[in-house]
Each structure stands twice: as structure tokens, then as C-alpha cells.
Amino acid sequence: MSESFKANKFKYLNDPPVVDSPYSIKVDRDKCIGCGVCIKQCPCQTIEMVPRDEASNQQFPACQYQCPAGTDIRKYTAALSREGSLEEAWKIITETNPFPAVTGRVCPHPCEGGCNREGVDHALNIHGMERAIGDYGIEKGLSFAKPEKSLKQKVAVIGSGPSGLSCAYQLARLGYNVTIYESDSKPGGMLSSIPRYRLPDYVVDAEIKRIVDLGITMKLGVSLGKDVSLDEIRKEFAAVYVAPGAQGSTALGIKGEENCIYSGLAFLKSAKQGHPLALGKNVVVIGGGNTAIDAARMARRMGSTVTILYRRTAAEMPAHKEEVDAAVQEGVKINFLCAPVALVNNSKETLTCLKMELGPADESGRLRPVPIKGSEFNVDFDTIIAAVGQELKQEGFNSLLGSSWIAADSLGLTKEKGIFAGGDAVTGPSLVSEAIGAGRKAAWTIDAFINGKKAEWPAKKEIDYSSVPLNDKKKISRNNAAELGVAERLSMTDAEVNLALDGTQVVAESKRCLGCGLQEPKFTGMGYFGKICLACHNCEAVCPQQALEFPHYYRVAGGRWAYDFNYPKPGQGIPNPLMLDKPVPLSEIESQLTDVEKVIYRRRSVRVYKKDPVPKELIKRVLEAGRFAPSAGNCQGWKFVVLTDRNVMNELSASTIKFLSIFTKLYQGKDPGRTALKKMLAFVKPNSIDQRPMVAIQALSTPKFGDSKLDCFFGAPVAILLLTHRLHISEPELGMGICGQNMVLAAHSLGLGTCYVGFVSNALNLDPMTKSKVGKKLGIKWPYDSVATVLTLGYPAVDLAKPVDREFPKVEWVE
């Protein structure tokens, strides 16, 4: 035994002094995403989430990470939730996106697809808030602050679409003299093609004017390759950003189409410019993208019957689902799995189509449409609108081309020095927010280039809670804006379909934000017991980011509760089955281990489960492993009760907490009466009066997450009760322990998680009320009237199959 080990059965009968307390945890702030799963796994609830003094600059919340424009959504929702002003929120958004009223209307909000709130109820209504904030900026005439300094360098931007204007905006804010060249008579690029029912003119005009008012020179009606060459521009400017968009339309490739088929872009522009094309009664729209849907909805507003022909299924449709649903509501019919092949005898009235079926995936990742031979059918029409793709008008940009598009990297660098490019001209048709983001990155790159530096866009880590149960968060209804009814939409061609959130709704919606990444775990201890715990190291193992280190062991140097252990330094107590001079990560030696060893070293108790039910076949396999456990005298003195009834589990959990709380309340005190009682119990019930189970019992009643008591089964879908036969031969505790261990190892090897729940067995064995109320429902009666233990069973919500440090018990060799 070590010199420091001084066992004495009459010393420190209760509240023994714990070496190395108070405990603490070490958190790597750049790795920790504040998911709180460490608290849910902690059996003592001695860790809690506390606000960070500042967020990590190495991470983005999922919403911002998924936002192509890079908008700091978390920051502006935090400002609003603190009763901040809409103007403050507008200033935060426009740091990265000068078009909040535009994107709040037309962006399909990929930010909401990443929103971690989806794991609680519904994603934050980010686009609704953004639109309302953007509208506020227009209504109040908010303007951008002029740059503090004016630089002598001049930068040219070719194209006044979202990408070009975004780049110009960011460069102007830095003080550069920016000139925009636009071939059209009005700025806006592709924004000018979006119907007014989605994007009113005044919104586009106001947000563009605000950018130009920074001192930007706008030259309209100037076409590259016709009025001026790229070489002429580059001689005058320190750098050039090329963002002409994808203004050309892809042809169908069928004979005679040039005589009777309109392009989707041409149709939309003509309608918006006040001289719409004559459509007739029956309009056929070909395509499945946003332009096709916009054209179909506009044609409906002009009184036509509209049918969309799309060669794939709804699942492959690239158009935004919300817009597709709106089109169907408005009476647009969609025929899937068909494609046009010819105009009948060059007719202007009948189109021949082929039915299609889906084959292997193509380069886009979507299933390829394959024609079905002999499946021709005809469609009558008055007008055909083709919207099957967009192209770059290449004149003037030939030196920059890769294939069909301009070749540039993610930061806008092209093969020609001083020439940068981005937006649809590089990527092909994409989101407005992607174009804005490309312009912003290019401005960053251009600034670095002019200053003789290398541009490096900082990589960020996504704060993703998709694998973490968020059942402790309170559900709050999402604030949704109203929309016009179908009859109103069709009778008022330009009326906006989607209305705005009001200011009260915006603030209420901001308060639904989880503030991802703004909290971190801290060891705060538990009331009477102070800053100690079981030292199970599960908080380390459960952390998906490997951001947490718990460097302590539960160590009592002397008295009744002392153990004769060697306590290794962090990282030196991990499994070392090959007895190497220094332990190495298990992954490095796993190939040399047996399957049984791998399970033993990786299996951890699981307290965070998925809601998915466990198939009965897997439960039976776990029970089968218990059936073959060795026992004294081969008596097999056990019986299994499989519990999946959630109502019974809830009743048993509540009854267990109520019963055991009596003991932890009695324990928490140092007055003479309680001290005497604890000393007596130390002899009557020596295995239970230790402060470790007492702090864990207290944790059941006062958890550090959620707003209710803990579930003794941790939300697991299955609990297995191991009942002991009263006449179990020899050592029943040993036999039942081996049986339970067989089951937990089998469960782990099957991808399931388990946890021993001794508290429930204590309540069923010791509390007459629990035994009478719940015990009968579980079939607990003589001779199987003693519950050895309870095992939870379910799918782990987070990977917990990680080795942890363990103490070294002394080994004495008698040879």
C-alpha cells in the first residue's frame, strides 16, 4: 500500500475530505460549441452552462455558417432580444449584406435549414426578421456611413447585379473609388427579372441607391466588348471585378423553337417593364428552376392556364419548394417526368413530348432523366416559355473563360493579374445571397491585392447541434407572417404575396434564438457537497468536440472511504492492455486487440439517448447474452422484466426520486443530530451513505438543465430489470453483476447504449409505496421479489465509445 493510504473504518464516517477539491474542468473555447451535452451526461449535475464573456472567433453558429452572405444572425437576434432597436439590427446585417429587404424576400434561407432550433420545435424565422429589418431601413431612410478616409486607388466593377453591387459596397466602405459599368439602362442585374409580387421595384431601387450614395460612380448602358474593352478598363483601374451574371437563356434544342418559344428571362423582363408578351389561353412552361416557376406564376396572373413540363420528379426540382407550392396553390399544373422533343410539323400549336424515367445520377448529383421509347404524346399550346437554363453572354470576357463560365476561385481570383470575378458568371445561376457573398469575398481579395498581401478567407467551424438532444429547451411557437389569398394574388398582378412581420413579432422571434456558442460548461458543484463529483470522466467522453478535460479523481486519502489506488496524470490512465512503457490512444493499437477487449475499453454509461425505439429482436439478443452468464452452482438465479411503457417509466422515476430525496435531505447537514444519524447509517447501510450517491440523488431533483426533475431512465426507450431469485445459490450480487455485464457488453457491440440505474432498484426494494404501486405492474413477487439492478437501453444520441482515464488499483503478486 502507498504511504498516503491510511484506511480506518472509524474515521471520516461521513463527509470525508476529498483530495484535489474543489474540482474544475478545462474547456478549449475554440472547440467547445456550447451544446450542453456534457451536462445531460453528468450523473451529479455538477456542471452547468454559463455565459461566455465573448464568442469564439473560430466558430460560426449554424445559421451564419450556412448563410452564403455570412450574415451574423446570432448577433442581431441577440441585440433584438435585449430590447435593442431595429436600426441596430439593420447595422449588423448590412455589415455583410447591403440588401436585407431583398434577401428577406427572395432568398430561400439556407440559414434556416441549418438553424439548431429545428431540434426543439421549428427553425427561427430568419428571413421574416431580415425582411422586416430591411423594410424598416427603407422606411426610415437609413443610410450607410461614409468611409473615414478616401483612397487614391480606383476599382472597376463590371455588372450591377447583387454580386457587383456587393463588391462595390464593401470596397467603397474601405475608401476606394469605385466605378460600376452596367450594360442595361437600369442597375440590378437579375433582380430586375424577379416579379413584383415577390420583389417590388421600390425595394430594389432603395437598396441600390443607398449603395451608390457611398460615392460610387454608375455608368449605365455600357457593354463590355462593344462600348469598351476589358483591356481599356484595366489600364485605368488598380483592379477590376467582373460580375456580369448569367443573362443568356439556354435553348431547348428543338427545330423551329426560335419562331414560337419565348425565354423565361425575356418574358419576365417584358412583363416587369410594362409591355408583356401576348400569351393566349394555354401556356406551357418548360423547366423546373426558379425562373420557370416565376414565369408560370406570372402567366397565371395574366389570365392564362399554365402547365409546367419537367423532365424529373418534384424531389429533383431545383426551384425553391415554397415557390413551387405557391404556384400549385395558384392553379399551375406540373407534369413530371416528361420532356419536349419536337414541334409537330413545325406547328405553332402542338408540342410532342416524351415520357421519362430516372436513371443513374448525373454530374449535378440528381438522377438522370432517361427517355421511354414509344411514349410520345402531344401537348397543345398558345405560348411556350422555355426556362431550362441560363448562360453567360461571353462577348468581352473570352480571355477569362474556363469552359462556359468565367474561371475564378472561391475568393474571386482569375488567371489574369488584377482581374477578379464572381457571382453567376462564375458559378452559373445561384442564389442572390451567394452572389452577395461572392462580391464580399472578392472585395476582401482586391483590398489584399492592392496592398500587396495574400488574401486568406478564415475557415470557421460550424456550431451544429443536430446530433444533440435539445429536449430541455422550452417549445415556443414560431412567428409567421400572413400572405395574400389566391384570389387576391391572381386579381392583383403586382401585389406582394408574402406580407411582413411587425416589430413585436420580430422581437418575439429573436427571443427564440438559442444563442448557439454563447455558453460554455463550468464546474459549479452541487449545493451542500461543494465542488466534487463521482469523477467518472463521462463529461470528457461525451463531448462531441473533444473540448473538455476533467483532470481529477475521487480520492479520499484516509479514513473509512479511502482506496489504495495509484492516481495517474491526465492521459496516462487510459487503457494499456499491451503494457507499453507509455499508453497510446486505443485507435493506434486496436488492430492488436480482441473484439471483447475493444468493447470493454470503449463502453461507457449512456445518459443521453435518441428517441428511436429499440427493435424487439435486438432486445432479445441482449437478454440472450444475460442468459449465458456464469453463476454460482449454475443456478441462473435471475429473471428479466423488459419495460417500454413510458407511463410506467415516468411513474417509477417520480416515485424513485420522491423516496430517495428523503435520504439526501437528511444527509445534507452537519448539526449534531444529523452527524450522529449519518454515523449510525454508515454501519447500518455502509455502501449507501457515501457522499457520492448522495450528490447523485440530489442531482435527480435539482438538475442544471431543463425546468423539471431528471428522468431516472434518462429518456431511454427501454429499461431492463434484473430480478434475483431469493434462493440464489452462494453470491447473488456477483452472479447478477456478471449477468448485467454480459448484457451491457452485448448491447454495446450491437450499437446500443446502457446505464446501470441502481436508484430505481433501491426504491423498488426499500420503499413499500413504490413496490406496491409499481412493483405489481412489473410482476415483482416472491421468489423474484428483489431487484438486483436496472439497465437502461437505447441508441446513444452522441458517440460515447471513448476510453477515459482510470485509477490503478494496487496488485499484489503472490508467487
Side-chain angles (χ1 to χ4, degrees), residues 173-401:
R173 294 175 71 210
L174 293 172
Y176 290 102
N177 291 298
V178 181
T179 298
I180 298 177
Y181 292 86
E182 170 56 52
S183 61
D184 209 338
S185 60
K186 187 177 181 180
M190 288 302 297
L191 298 180
S192 62
S193 300
I194 300 175
R196 293 186 182 92
Y197 66 79
R198 290 182 61 203
L199 183 62
D201 292 342
Y202 80 89
V203 172
V204 179
D205 294 344
E207 297 207 310
I208 291 177
K209 181 179 183 302
R210 199 159 43 205
I211 296 171
V212 175
D213 284 350
L214 283 171
I216 293 169
T217 300
M218 179 74 71
K219 293 189 176 183
L220 300 173
V222 180
S223 295
L224 197 74
K226 292 181 179 179
D227 303 309
V228 66
S229 70
L230 185 58
D231 284 339
E232 289 174 321
I233 291 176
R234 69 192 302 180
K235 288 176 183 177
E236 185 180 347
F237 295 89
V240 181
Y241 181 58
V242 178
Q247 301 285 355
S249 296
T250 305
L252 288 175
I254 62 176
K255 187 177 180 181
E257 67 176 286
E258 64 278 1
N259 298 320
C260 63
I261 297 179
Y262 300 129
S263 78
L265 290 178
F267 166 65
L268 290 171
K269 283 185 177 181
S270 70
K272 199 162 185 182
Q273 290 170 0
H275 41 83
L277 304 171
L279 297 180
K281 183 179 179 181
N282 294 318
V283 173
V284 173
V285 177
I286 301 169
N290 292 312
T291 301
I293 298 298
D294 282 346
R297 295 179 71 188
M298 178 54 69
R300 280 292 294 130
R301 283 160 171 74
M302 294 169 66
S304 299
T305 298
V306 182
T307 301
I308 292 177
L309 305 181
Y310 180 55
R311 58 184 182 160
R312 293 183 172 93
T313 69
E316 289 79 34
M317 225 172 179
H320 309 155
K321 185 179 183 304
E322 292 175 3
E323 301 300 320
V324 176
D325 292 344
V328 172
Q329 290 172 8
E330 292 165 9
V332 174
K333 182 181 178 182
I334 305 178
N335 288 347
F336 295 104
L337 291 172
C338 61
V341 291
L343 291 163
V344 177
N345 297 322
N346 288 329
S347 164
K348 295 185 180 181
E349 298 176 352
T350 307
L351 179 69
T352 298
C353 300
L354 264 178
K355 293 182 179 179
M356 316 292 279
E357 60 185 358
L358 295 181
D362 62 15
E363 60 277 2
S364 73
R366 294 180 294 167
L367 298 179
R368 184 188 303 275
V370 179
I372 300 174
K373 291 183 179 180
S375 64
E376 291 87 349
F377 65 97
N378 291 334
V379 176
D380 294 331
F381 67 88
D382 293 309
T383 300
I384 295 178
I385 299 172
V388 294
Q390 292 167 227
E391 299 174 344
L392 169 68
K393 292 182 177 180
Q394 298 179 355
E395 185 178 0
F397 305 109
N398 301 76
S399 62
L400 302 176
L401 294 179

Side-chain angles (χ1 to χ4, degrees), residues 692-710:
R692 284 172 292 181
M694 291 300 170
V695 69
I697 293 170
Q698 180 62 43
L700 295 172
S701 298
T702 55
K704 299 290 178 62
F705 66 94
D707 54 6
S708 61
K709 295 179 180 179
L710 286 183

